[in-house]
Amino acid sequence: MFGFIARRKLVSGLCAATALAGSALFVVQAQPALAATNQFKGVNWADTRDNYNSGWVIPDGLAASDNYSQVYSIADSYIKAFQANLGANTVRLPINPPSVSQSWWGAYRGAIDAALADGMKVIISAWTQSTSTGTITDMTAWTNMWSTVVGQYGGNANVYFEPLNEPYGYSLSQWVSICSSWLAQFSSVPRGRVIISGTGYNDHVTGVGASSALTGTLLSLHYYGTWNNYTQESQWESDLNSRIGSYTSRTIIDEFGAPMTTGVNYLANHNGAVEQSYFAAVTDLSRADGMGNVYWAGLKTGDSYSMEYHNGSGLSNNNASGVTQVRWGWGY
């Protein structure tokens, strides 16, 4: 929790739907990302300590002692809850070199496999070891990690690969060079299944979008309400559009979020309140422009942004109005 909150504060300094009824599952099959990205209706499933971690990343509800079948069973339950409670069809999961090179990978694959068996799209994204590291610290370990992951999931059309989350330590040219090398090494993966992070904290995609070396890839944008103090939806939309430019057809907002445990009504005050106007802008713009988005976080105990909370052996929604607004952004 604290690592993520600190990161949002750091970014702030740097970057001056009726509720779903019943238990029906909403599963949408993978589609080619040609004219829009709104096939991605997703949530992040995050480590309670935060995905920035020097050891294994272990999403909320899993334990380092779990074996493959235990991870699969827990993940299957949570994925079905994401589908039934929210209508999600995508889950974004974190990896890092220790999580893939060490014994945890044998168990952790159960989460990916369960999501795929349940008809979900899976975005696998690489994290650095801390919020203070915006570059790949061990290129060999990072490359080996991706060789393992792509070797096992490169042939699955519902798996998408995000080489590095928030590459803020690189200049645009450096980041394009790293991504170009990734694309060359893993050329068997269709570019439409590679998600290139925007520069900085994924906070602008105009630079990577304009790069001819990255043509055909999807683009990842992060956007948070702590980055400005606007109170009008139009102000947030203008700022968001400036970060996307002409690349809406390739962009997925794969991190955005707002407090879900504080009782905010996200169906009101779209003009006049910071949190509600921000949240309305992201979801309205996503719907209008056909952009997919992946909410932060679908499940992360201790983070006020978490959309879900543990309710016995299942999951329940923290904020019905937040669910409604997210579903509106997904096109429901």
Side-chain angles (χ1 to χ4, degrees):
M1 174 182 181
F2 299 107
F4 184 65
I5 291 174
R7 176 163 59 89
R8 286 204 296 263
K9 290 180 178 177
L10 176 59
V11 173
S12 180
L14 291 175
C15 302
T18 55
L20 180 61
S23 59
L25 301 185
F26 291 79
V27 181
V28 179
Q29 297 300 315
Q31 304 169 21
L34 298 176
T37 61
N38 57 1
Q39 67 268 29
F40 296 94
K41 312 173 196 298
V43 293
N44 283 270
W45 181 12
D47 191 315
T48 58
R49 303 163 299 173
D50 205 55
N51 294 342
Y52 286 101
N53 205 296
S54 59
W56 299 348
V57 282
I58 304 173
D60 188 349
L62 303 179
S65 59
D66 289 340
N67 60 31
Y68 176 90
S69 62
Q70 290 170 317
V71 170
Y72 189 103
S73 177
I74 294 167
D76 178 61
S77 173
Y78 292 172
I79 293 299
K80 284 180 166 65
F82 292 151
Q83 292 172 325
N85 295 352
L86 308 174
N89 72 0
T90 302
V91 63
R92 184 171 179 247
L93 291 170
I95 59 170
N96 61 10
S99 298
V100 175
S101 66
Q102 297 174 17
S103 59
W104 174 235
W105 182 240
Y108 189 24
R109 288 187 62 192
I112 301 170
D113 294 347
L116 293 171
D118 287 334
M120 296 283 272
K121 287 182 281 295
V122 178
I123 297 172
I124 301 176
S125 180
W127 256 258
T128 58
Q129 66 265 38
S130 75
T131 57
S132 61
T133 306
T135 60
I136 301 161
T137 55
D138 187 332
M139 189 64 71
T140 299
W142 178 77
T143 301
N144 289 341
M145 171 191 71
W146 278 118
S147 293
T148 296
V149 174
V150 171
Q152 292 172 336
Y153 292 103
N156 192 306
N158 277 338
V159 178
Y160 296 77
F161 306 97
E162 190 172 27
L164 187 67
N165 174 76
E166 299 185 346
Y168 68 86
Y170 294 115
S171 67
L172 173 60
S173 61
Q174 290 172 326
W175 180 228
V176 168
S177 176
I178 288 170
C179 293
S180 298
S181 296
W182 193 101
L183 291 168
Q185 179 162 3
F186 303 110
S187 58
S188 61
V189 178
R191 288 193 172 209
R193 287 173 46 215
V194 181
I195 303 174
I196 301 297
S197 295
T199 49
Y201 289 83
N202 286 48
D203 50 68
H204 286 81
V205 299
T206 51
V208 289
S211 171
S212 59
L214 306 179
T215 298
T217 61
L218 299 173
L219 308 175
S220 160
L221 183 77
H222 294 177
Y223 195 60
Y224 284 103
T226 53
W227 294 1
N228 281 297
N229 293 309
Y230 303 137
T231 59
Q232 302 298 304
E233 182 176 351
S234 61
Q235 294 174 299
W236 288 108
E237 289 186 349
S238 177
D239 183 63
L240 187 51
N241 277 320
S242 73
R243 298 166 183 270
I244 299 170
S246 60
Y247 304 103
T248 55
S249 66
R250 294 170 60 191
T251 298
I252 305 166
I253 303 174
D254 72 8
E255 279 191 29
F256 79 105
M260 292 293 153
T261 60
T262 57
V264 174
N265 179 5
Y266 287 100
L267 305 183
N269 294 324
H270 289 184
N271 289 295
V274 173
E275 291 170 344
Q276 290 101 313
S277 60
Y278 152 79
F279 209 60
V282 177
T283 51
D284 284 350
L285 200 64
S286 293
R287 184 183 179 100
D289 289 351
M291 287 187 297
N293 61 58
V294 185
Y295 180 84
W296 180 281
L299 180 63
K300 185 175 184 282
T301 300
D303 188 336
S304 67
Y305 283 37
S306 185
M307 188 66 76
E308 301 290 285
Y309 70 92
H310 294 279
N311 183 9
S313 60
L315 301 179
S316 295
N317 298 333
N318 272 315
N319 186 313
S321 69
V323 173
T324 297
Q325 194 65 40
V326 166
R327 284 173 51 78
W328 170 260
W330 288 345
Y332 294 131

